[in-house]
Every structure is written in structure tokens, then in C-alpha cells.
Amino acid sequence: MTFAIHGLNVSRGVAIGRAVLVASSRVDVAHYFVQAHEVESEIDRVRMGRNAVIDEIHRLQETITQMGPKEAPHELGALLDVHLMLLQDDDLVGGVKHWITERLYNAEWALTTQLEIIARQFDEMEDEYLRERKADLEQIVERILRAMKGKGSPIVSHPSQRGGRKSSQQDLLLDDTVDVPLILIAHDLSPADMLQFKQSVFAGFITDVGGKTSHTAIVARSMDIPAVVGARLASQLVRQDDWVIIDGDAGVVIVDPSPIILAEYGFKQRQRELERGRLQRLLHTPSVTMDGEKVELLANIEMPEDALVAVKAGAVGVGLFRSEFLFMGRQGRLPGEEEQYQAYKRAVEGMQGLPVTIRTVDVGADKPLDDSLRDDAHLNPALGLRAIRWSLADPAMFLTQLRAILRAAAHGQVHLLVPMLAHAREIRQTLAHLDQARAQLDNRGVAYGPVKLGAMIEIPAAALSLRLFLKYFDFLSIGTNDLIQYTLAIDRADESVAHLYDPLHPAVLRLVADTIAECRAQGKGVSVCGEMAGDVALTRLLLGLGLRSFSMHPAQILAVKQEILRADTSKLTPWAQRVRDAEDPALEMAGS
Ligand code: PEP
Ligand code: MG
């Protein structure tokens, strides 16, 4: 039966495929397709992993029988019996074989897919004792996965090793077994999960939680694949392998669509491809408004390799390199100076002489270093030890990063950007650390280059202290994602208040407009690097408010450029001021 689930439209486009339900903690197992001739060896890998766990349990049982009842309570033996029974369960073994044979999933993927199916059956059981056996099942699967590691199983996801995907819906319906696009559905995905996901086989994703500018949504946009977040019960309502459509424009998920709906969305998909093709024609067109105002279009990137994508998309530099992605998903082991230097250098070289703005690490809130290190200890991590606060609290880590960035600056134009500053004291401490990092490199006789220094304006206190910021910094970059969050007291990652997250709130517009105006008056560079910069519905407004530098995901550049080419700033300026001063700016924009 067809039904729809509504969420938030965070990444545009249409994806049609089969659902792959994955618990967030299991997203980072490898997801790739094997070749038909590898099916047997893949099944063998699971068998060996399972046998290793069975042997382990047998050994434990022997030890228990040698112990007295005091040291080894009866429950322990009973628990091991349950584990053995689950390991030999036909549903588990047969299901895993099915996914490998029929769908060519790799062993880890097949195992976790089958786990999700059986876990759901456990959830639906009336008997509480049986329901609780789900935890045992999860444990044994985790153990099999661990036993399989080191037996030649890759740890990261690989792109499909098979040929190209079917593009037409007709093909898709004909070939219902393999080679269909897959859509990942999870309760939640952390930014670290998303990094794995970036290289994987999925054509779109859906999560129960998350806001429009949560970092999960931001990474989805950077990958340019359709996504819906905040879809509440999606991970419970959709079943493994259901056909689903993601309408990333409307923020809707359609489950088990009828042939008519499928055909309609297939058409939409092709329209979007055509639109993309048309936009490609603007690649080499200079970004200048109708009245001759030049506008700088920069890229936001997460990994050094994204620099290449940025150049290909026509970016004239990187306006925001979110360096924290180098620090995440490493079980807390931070990258050292050399590793960071090499990464920044790769980004600088990748930009082929164009400037790269490297933001110092911004972990905390919805960007934990690691999923296991999620900040549950503090009541409100978004207001806690995040970004520059975290850096200043760990001077050795901060100095390591500053040295790496300074060294990368010897290879090209580097701008250094500092997130979440609010206090004069923090600014002075940051500058002192920078001096110290230079002195340390001088002492070691290591080469480094000059950097332009910028601050992010993403806390209202900073936007209201512009004179202070302009005294110390060469340029400012407005982080509207956080500026909106902190101005309106809306957690950007919380879907339950997503309707109140409003870039067009008069207070937000006032802070953005004043920052742009003050920088321009003082001849200092200013850009917007939050998601507002890549939203074509806001391009004309930002131009009218005087913005001439936009930083966004590479995939958004050409659509924003199209808006710029059609704009006349001499007309937009008075209009934007009216919008800024209106009681309801959205209404004012819609009416003009
Ligand atoms: C912002 O806050 O607008 C920004 C660009 O930084 P991030 O989204 O990484 O917090
Ligand atoms: Mg921010």
C-alpha cells in the first residue's frame, strides 16, 4: 500500500530505489557490491566469522563448567546457550545468504541487513523476555563482524564495482533483483557516518531526526544526493527492501509507490537531469550581475579531495574548509601536525593557485569527534565547549593545527578562519596562539607562509561587536547556520523546532545586513558561508544587502550563478532594504 512520510527537504532531487535500513551505529560497516564469482567466498567469510564466535562460546562454556556456581552463575551458561541458538538460527544464516546471492551485498552489509530484519521481528514480540533477546542478537552480530575483520574485509565502503546504474524507471522495474539504486534509512546519521556514506553506494538517504542545517543535512547537500531528514518514524514504518521515492524538493518520502507515481517521479528525475545539463553551460560564464557587479562564488568543502570538485564546479576558491571532518570518526585519536599539513597542502594544491579558507576545528554540538564520544554529559552542547572554545581549552591541539595550516600556506594562498568567537579575550588568545605557532616553526627552521586572518560571525554577540572584530581581522565570514540558531534560540539539529528556524526573521536579516554594510564601509572582505549562501531563493536578497562573496557546496554554484546573471543590484538594493525592515520579510519578498 502506498503511503507518504513528511520530513524536511534538505537536499534537492528525486531518488527512487529500494530501502536499506541500517542502525546508525552500524552505518560504518562496509557497503559494496561483490561480483557474482565472489558470492561463495563472501558466504564463506560469514561462515568463518560465525564459526569463530561459536568456538569462542564453546571455550567459554568449558571454562564455566570447570568453575563453581559461585564464580559462574547459572544465568551466564543460559545466556551462552541463547547466543549459540541465535548463531545457528536459520533466519539469520538463510537471510545473509539471500542478500549475498540475490543482491550481491558484501558479507558485512548482508549481515547487518538481516540483523535489522530480525531485530524488527523481536521488537514486535509481545513477550518481554523474547523482546529483550534483540540485544543478544545484536551482540552476536557485532562479534561475527569483529571476527570477520582482519580476514580481508575492507573497513571502508566502496563504490559499486558493477557497471552503471539503470537510469530509466522502466529498466528499474524490469530488473528487480540487482543493480537498483539503494536508499539508506536510519534513525540518525552522524557527520562521521556521512563521511563513510560519501564514498558508498547509496542514491539518497532518509533519517528520522535532524534539522535543515544539521551537519548531516549539510553533508548530504555537499554530496548532491536527494535527502529527507526529520522524517520522524521513517525507520520504523519502512521495511527492509521496500520501494521508496525521495522527493528532496518537497521533503516527502513515498513508500511502496504505485506505477503511476513511479512514472511521474521518473519524469521529474529526468527533468532535473536536463536542468543540470542546462546549468553546465554557465560553467565558464563570469559571475557578474546585469549591472556589472562582480560576485565571488566560493566552495564549502569537507575533505581535501573535495577541492577538485570545487574547481570543476567553477568555484574561484574555497570559502570554508570544515577542517573538523579530518578529526572525526577516529576513535578520539587526533590527526598530528604532519597528517594535517599533508591534508591542507592537498587542498591548497587541488585548488591550483586559488585561495583556500581553512577553518580551525569546529567540533562539539552535533559534530562529535566520534559517535561513541557524543556529548551527553553536558546539558546543552550547542552552548558548550565547541569550536574555538574547544581549541583554546586544548592549546597543544590548537597549536598543532595552526602550525599545520601555516606550513600549508607555503604552497599557495591560505586564509585562516576562526569559528564561534564572541569575546575580545578569545580573539587576543587566538592571536597569541598564532604568534606562538609561528615562533615554534621558526625555532624548528620549518618553512611556512603568510595567511589572511578571518573570523566567523555566527554568534549574535559577534555581530553586535563588529568594530572589535574588524580591528583584529582581515575579513569576516557570516555563518548563518549558527547565527540563526543562536539568534532565534532554535537548535538547528532538532526537527521538532525546525519550523521556527527562519533565515528571514527580521532580527537575523538585521545582523546579516549590518555585518555586510560595516565590512564594506571599512573596505574589509565579507562573505556568507552558511547555507543561506547556496539557497537560490535568497540570492537576490543577499545581493541587495550588498553581499558580493558567497560560499556554498560546489553543487549549488551554477544555480546561484544563474540568479546572479539575471540580477540588477541597482534595483535590488532598495527592495532588499524594504524586505530587511519589513515586519514579515517573507511576505514582503513574496509580494514583490
Ligand atoms: C555556519 O554556522 O553557518 C557555518 C558555516 O558553520 P557550520 O555549519 O559548520 O557550523
Ligand atoms: Mg557554524
Side-chain angles (χ1 to χ4, degrees), residues 89-147:
D89 179 59
D90 282 348
D91 261 6
L92 183 67
V93 180
V96 169
K97 267 191 194 163
H98 164 82
W99 296 113
I100 298 176
T101 316
E102 301 298 321
R103 290 295 168 79
L104 301 181
Y105 287 7
N106 65 298
E108 291 82 356
W109 186 4
L111 197 53
T112 49
T113 302
Q114 194 55 23
L115 167 62
E116 299 306 325
I117 291 178
I118 306 177
R120 186 172 289 210
Q121 291 166 4
F122 274 108
D123 280 341
E124 284 162 7
M125 283 175 184
E126 300 262 310
D127 185 305
E128 196 182 331
Y129 172 80
L130 288 176
R131 225 176 24 241
E132 282 168 6
R133 299 290 61 81
K134 183 175 118 173
D136 295 305
L137 177 74
E138 286 174 340
Q139 262 184 35
I140 64 145
V141 168
E142 299 289 342
R143 285 166 80 174
I144 300 176
L145 285 170
R146 235 176 301 134

Side-chain angles (χ1 to χ4, degrees), residues 215 218 320 322 324 359 362 367 386 456 458 478-483 492 529-531:
H215 286 90
I218 287 176
L320 174 64
R322 289 184 162 98
E324 54 274 14
R359 180 176 71 181
D362 180 1
K367 279 184 287 190
R386 194 196 143 176
M456 293 204 54
E458 49 186 350
I478 311 175
T480 48
N481 305 337
D482 279 314
L483 189 60
R492 60 192 268 193
C529 63
E531 297 300 294

